[in-house]
């Protein structure tokens, strides 16, 4: 029979899923079957986007997760209540002045794992703004080793990379990549040589397992400290992964270009240099002509692009009515939120502030509409407000996004028609980028793939 915690977690998961559907334009998930294994799981995830990270992982996971969260979050009563409902477990950090409470924290994690449940940890402990994996804390390793020492067998440590196209902005894309798990029973002999007990008090075993966790995370997330050339390398990876006969409407999936980008960042300088040179030359010519690679790549060129313009126009017409309602209901709130979001703040704070204010402001807007409709004696006011508000609001967002893409596609078609004589040269430069990336991939270490 479901417990109150089970019911609360299911409810919060629904809310988190709806919030992530609204916040992101697209969510890609790879390897989620690893989270369905019939075993106790310690899920270790990268931490690049504050509150968005647990919300995205919570909404994506097919099984309940008990998150570890820093104890100071419970000081804010509403946040603490939400964490309790979600089944979060407090972690007491040395930086906050006390770690004694971690004994009960670890004991609760061991109980969850003993029941075959799943514990989720962000081992970096804090948000990392750079495209790299930060220094890992040892908590995940200690929890796994402690659970095994207490008699729980079959513990798996599952790495999860949370990758964002643009983490500070709403309506972008996110990738949740779940990697191959570390089977603790299988590797235990390598963690404590010479017959030592491999428990959570064995510092050597904990450190070795933490190193293994880091290597596992490197297979699912970008780990590169130098961001100077990242944009050009990302452009080159996207060009490489876009098929030459692609539909101009379709974006290259993050799950497709991100592994290529990861390998490029680890390629030797002597082969990465030609990639940067070829990408810069191609981008420069595209910028001069006002075109994009998505327009140049299709084999049919202009006819296919004109077909894309027509399809987007049809989509705009179909969405006009619900989008108009959604704009009327939600537009004033969105305008006000956008003014708040423009305030100077750190990148991760911008994403957190944007998501949290949206979760409060839009439900209050729908509540106000429901009360107004009830006062006007409209039938089913709550249904109109709390179903029609979100649904029509989403239609409005899609309409405005499609309108922007329609405008860009129409301009691209016009520009491509004027520069047909340059198309062969553009495609030659594009081929040079692809060739340079292939050469770099051949020389990059497989371990970084």
């Amino acid at each position: 029979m479901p417990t109150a915690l089970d019911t609360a977690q299911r409810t919060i998961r629904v809310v988190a899923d709806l919030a992530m559907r609204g916040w992101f334009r697209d969510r890609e998930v790879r390897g989620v079957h690893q989270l369905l294994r019939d075993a106790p799981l310690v899920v270790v995830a990268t931490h690049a986007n504050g509150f968005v990270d647990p919300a995205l992982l919570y909404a994506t996971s097919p099984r309940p997760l008990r998150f570890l969260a820093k104890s100071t979050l419970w000081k804010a009563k509403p946040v603490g209540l939400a964490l309790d409902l979600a089944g979060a477990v407090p972690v007491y950090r040395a930086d906050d002045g006390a770690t004694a409470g971690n004994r009960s924290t670890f004991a609760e994690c061991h109980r969850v794992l003993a029941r075959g449940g799943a514990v989720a940890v962000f081992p970096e402990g804090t948000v990392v703004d750079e495209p790299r994996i930060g220094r890992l804390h040892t908590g995940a390793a200690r929890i796994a080793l402690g659970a095994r020492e207490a008699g729980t067998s079959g513990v798996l440590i599952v790495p999860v990379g949370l990758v964002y196209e643009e983490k500070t902005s709403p309506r972008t894309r996110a990738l949740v990549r779940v990697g191959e798990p570390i089977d603790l029973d299988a590797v235990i002999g390598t963690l404590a040589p010479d017959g030592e007990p491999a428990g959570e008090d064995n510092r050597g075993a904990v450190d070795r397992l933490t190193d293994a966790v880091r290597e596992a995370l490197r297979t699912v997330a970008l780990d590169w400290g130098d961001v100077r050339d990242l944009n050009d390398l990302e452009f080159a990876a996207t060009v490489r992964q876009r098929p030459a006969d692609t539909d101009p409407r379709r974006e290259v999936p993050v799950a497709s270009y991100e592994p290529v980008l990861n390998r490029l960042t680890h390629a030797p300088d002597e082969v990465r240099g030609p990639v940067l040179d070829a990408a810069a030359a191609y981008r420069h010519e595209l910028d001069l002509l006002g075109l994009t690679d998505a327009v140049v790549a299709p084999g049919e060129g202009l006819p296919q692009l004109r077909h894309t313009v027509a399809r987007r126009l049809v989509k705009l017409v179909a969405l006009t009515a619900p989008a108009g309602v959604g704009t009327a209901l939600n537009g004033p709130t969105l305008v006000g939120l956008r003014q708040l979001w423009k305030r100077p703040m750190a990148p991760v704070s911008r994403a957190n502030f944007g998501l949290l204010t949206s979760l409060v402001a839009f439900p209050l807007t729908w509540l106000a509409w429901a009360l107004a409709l009830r006062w006007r004696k409209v039938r089913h006011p709550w249904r109109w407000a709390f179903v029609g508000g979100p649904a029509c609001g989403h239609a409005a967002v899609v309409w405005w996004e499609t309108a922007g893409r329609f405008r860009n596609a129409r301009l691209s078609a016009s520009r491509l028609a004027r520069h047909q004589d340059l198309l062969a040269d553009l495609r030659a430069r594009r081929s040079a980028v692809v060739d340079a990336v292939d050469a770099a991939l051949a020389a990059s270490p497989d371990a970084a793939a």
Side-chain angles (χ1 to χ4, degrees):
M1 183 174 180
T3 64
L5 179 59
D6 293 333
T7 302
Q9 286 186 318
R10 281 198 296 270
T11 302
I12 291 178
R13 187 180 186 278
V14 170
V15 173
D17 184 60
L18 292 173
M20 293 298 96
R21 289 178 184 275
W23 187 253
F24 292 109
R25 185 175 76 251
D26 186 31
R27 289 181 296 166
E28 301 172 25
V29 182
R30 298 292 185 273
V32 73
H33 63 279
Q34 303 289 4
L35 297 176
L36 287 170
R37 290 176 177 256
D38 186 18
L41 304 182
V42 177
V43 178
V44 290
T46 55
H47 201 15
N49 209 8
F51 174 74
V52 178
D53 291 332
L56 178 60
L57 187 53
Y58 204 96
T60 303
S61 174
R63 60 187 288 183
L65 300 176
R66 297 288 301 277
F67 280 90
L68 270 66
K70 58 183 180 181
S71 60
T72 52
L73 292 175
W74 270 262
K75 292 181 179 179
K77 296 293 186 183
V79 175
L81 176 61
L83 291 172
D84 287 337
L85 291 174
V89 183
V91 172
Y92 301 86
R93 305 185 306 179
D95 294 344
D96 300 322
T99 59
N102 283 334
R103 185 173 298 278
S104 61
T105 296
F106 281 25
E108 175 61 20
C109 292
H110 297 162
R111 285 192 288 271
V112 171
L113 295 173
R115 296 193 296 266
V119 174
V121 184
F122 294 103
E124 291 161 298
T126 188
V127 172
V128 179
D129 274 333
E130 294 79 15
R132 62 177 177 83
I133 298 170
R135 182 180 68 86
L136 301 190
H137 294 267
T138 59
R142 291 174 59 196
I143 288 170
L145 289 172
R148 187 180 187 279
E149 190 176 31
T152 302
S153 60
V155 175
L156 302 178
I157 303 175
V158 185
V160 179
L162 303 177
V163 182
Y164 300 97
E165 184 180 49
E166 175 48 68
K167 70 178 184 178
T168 62
S169 303
R171 303 304 296 168
T172 54
R173 296 185 294 168
L175 166 65
V176 180
R177 187 192 298 281
V178 187
E180 288 289 333
I182 300 171
D183 186 334
L184 187 57
D185 290 345
V187 302
I188 196 70
T190 66
L191 302 177
D194 303 325
E196 298 176 8
E200 63 178 296
D201 294 327
N202 185 326
R203 185 68 189 187
V206 169
D207 288 344
R208 292 184 189 97
L209 185 54
T210 301
D211 290 341
V213 168
R214 180 181 181 84
E215 289 305 307
L217 286 173
R218 290 184 74 242
T219 68
V220 295
L222 192 65
D223 185 24
W224 194 42
D226 190 345
V227 299
R228 289 175 300 174
D229 302 323
L230 191 59
N231 287 337
D232 284 335
L233 289 177
E234 184 173 351
F235 172 74
T238 304
V239 170
R240 170 62 180 79
Q241 295 304 101
R242 176 177 283 116
D245 59 349
T246 189
D247 184 334
R249 296 178 304 160
R250 304 205 179 278
E251 297 176 292
V252 177
V254 179
S256 175
Y257 74 73
E258 190 269 342
V260 176
L261 173 61
N262 204 0
R263 290 184 64 184
L264 288 177
T265 62
H266 292 86
D269 291 341
E270 60 270 18
V271 294
R272 194 167 63 223
V275 173
L276 294 170
D277 293 340
Y282 182 40
R283 287 184 79 171
H284 179 67
E285 192 157 351
L286 288 175
D287 291 342
L288 286 176
L289 300 175
L291 298 174
T292 64
D293 179 61
V295 172
V296 173
E300 297 180 27
L302 192 57
Q304 193 167 357
L305 184 56
R306 285 172 173 162
H307 188 46
T308 295
V309 172
R311 282 188 289 191
R312 284 183 175 159
L313 180 59
V314 170
K315 185 176 181 179
L316 283 174
V317 172
L319 286 173
T320 295
V325 175
T327 301
L329 291 176
N330 301 285
T333 301
L334 180 59
V335 171
L337 288 176
R338 285 191 177 277
Q339 293 302 313
L340 288 175
W341 297 344
K342 289 179 180 178
R343 298 190 311 171
M345 61 185 78
V348 65
S349 298
R350 188 176 302 281
N352 287 340
F353 184 73
L355 180 58
L356 290 173
T357 53
S358 297
L359 288 174
V360 173
F362 284 111
L364 288 178
T365 299
W366 304 327
L367 175 61
W369 277 110
L371 294 175
L373 292 172
R374 186 181 180 187
W375 180 70
R376 296 287 295 179
K377 301 189 184 310
V378 175
R379 294 184 62 188
H380 309 300
W382 304 104
R383 186 183 305 170
W384 280 110
F386 281 93
V387 176
C392 292
H394 184 72
V397 169
V398 174
W399 191 95
W400 286 104
E401 290 175 348
T402 304
R405 295 193 188 109
F406 168 75
R407 176 182 177 276
N408 292 337
R410 187 170 56 82
L411 289 174
S412 294
S414 175
R415 291 165 181 163
L416 192 60
R418 293 199 307 268
H419 300 300
Q420 282 292 292
D421 56 325
L422 299 177
L423 190 56
D425 178 65
L426 285 171
R427 286 179 173 164
R429 290 189 181 277
R430 187 179 194 280
S431 296
V433 175
V434 173
D435 292 342
V437 171
D438 285 340
L441 294 179
S444 64
D446 291 339

